[in-house]
Amino acid sequence: MTLTGFGRPRHHLRTTDSTNERARELAEAGAPSGAVVTADEQTAGRGRRGRAWSAPPGKALLYSAILRDLDERHALLPLAVPLAVCEAIEAVAPLSCRVKWPNDVWIDGSKVAGVLIEAQPPDWAVIGIGVNVAIEPDEFPAELRWPATSVGRGATVPGILASLNEALSGWVVRPADETLASFRERDALQGREVAWAGAGEGNGVARGIDDRGNLVVETSGDGRVALGAGEVTLRVDS
Ligand code: BTN
């Protein structure tokens, strides 16, 4: 696997529909691993499971990176990326981040960043990341599924960009056991009541992740189910 240093080249756009869409076009045209697209503003930012992602212009890091080629060593990429985001944020502000499986980044129970990975294996993945950097509480849309927060504390979009490029370069090549161990340390759901829908539905208590990155949930009657990230929508009940 070639080592990827993210951020070179960087394509910055003032406005675009979605940086993931621009990065996808670049990936399909053969852009190198490490290329990054950023924007001040998105008009059709995409979130997970078909949802929209929006942020006031200039107040969030809107970032899409190309990673290629993909192989089995990237199997835990959806877990590694939010760990990189945690590291990047903690490098610029005195904060402690956790990950809400599969890949939301939380500070004190509020979402500060989201990840949307779109891939065409084995050729490429576009790693889309949105980090709320300096969005005021009253600037978040009212209909958000989770409470939202910003990094704040004087952090800047360029500062987090630099920090994220560096952190991501390390995390995409971390061995699986390190990724799993770090995710388990930052797991925001451990021991919490969750309910899921999608591939069936149910509820129970989150009991960490298995070695494939699935969320293990203990259901009533001491049963256990392993939920795949692409398959379910999760609700956190307590
Ligand atoms: C989520 O939490 O649902 C994922 C949000 C991902 C948003 C980022 S912003 C930059 C990139 N471009 C997009 O259209 N989406 C991702």
Side-chain angles (χ1 to χ4, degrees), residues 12-13 24 34 38 45-46 50 87 108 110 151 156 171-172 185 191-192 202 207 209:
H12 181 73
L13 304 161
R24 167 189 286 269
T38 55
R46 300 204 284 253
E87 199 171 282
D108 292 333
S110 294
V151 178
T156 63
W171 274 103
V172 297
E185 278 173 19
R192 294 186 68 169
R207 295 292 182 212
I209 53 164

Side-chain angles (χ1 to χ4, degrees), residues 102-117:
N103 46 29
D104 284 355
V105 177
W106 280 8
I107 295 171
D108 292 333
S110 294
K111 180 167 171 171
V112 70
V115 173
L116 174 66
I117 299 174

Side-chain angles (χ1 to χ4, degrees), residues 17-21 42 44-49 51-53 61-64 103-104 111 113-116 118 127-131:
D17 51 359
S18 157
T19 55
N20 264 33
E21 191 54 35
Q42 295 183 126
R46 300 204 284 253
R48 291 185 67 241
R49 304 191 69 76
R51 299 188 187 99
W53 173 275
L61 175 63
L62 307 171
Y63 175 102
S64 299
N103 46 29
D104 284 355
K111 180 167 171 171
V115 173
L116 174 66
E118 299 179 299
I127 302 169
I129 300 170
V131 183

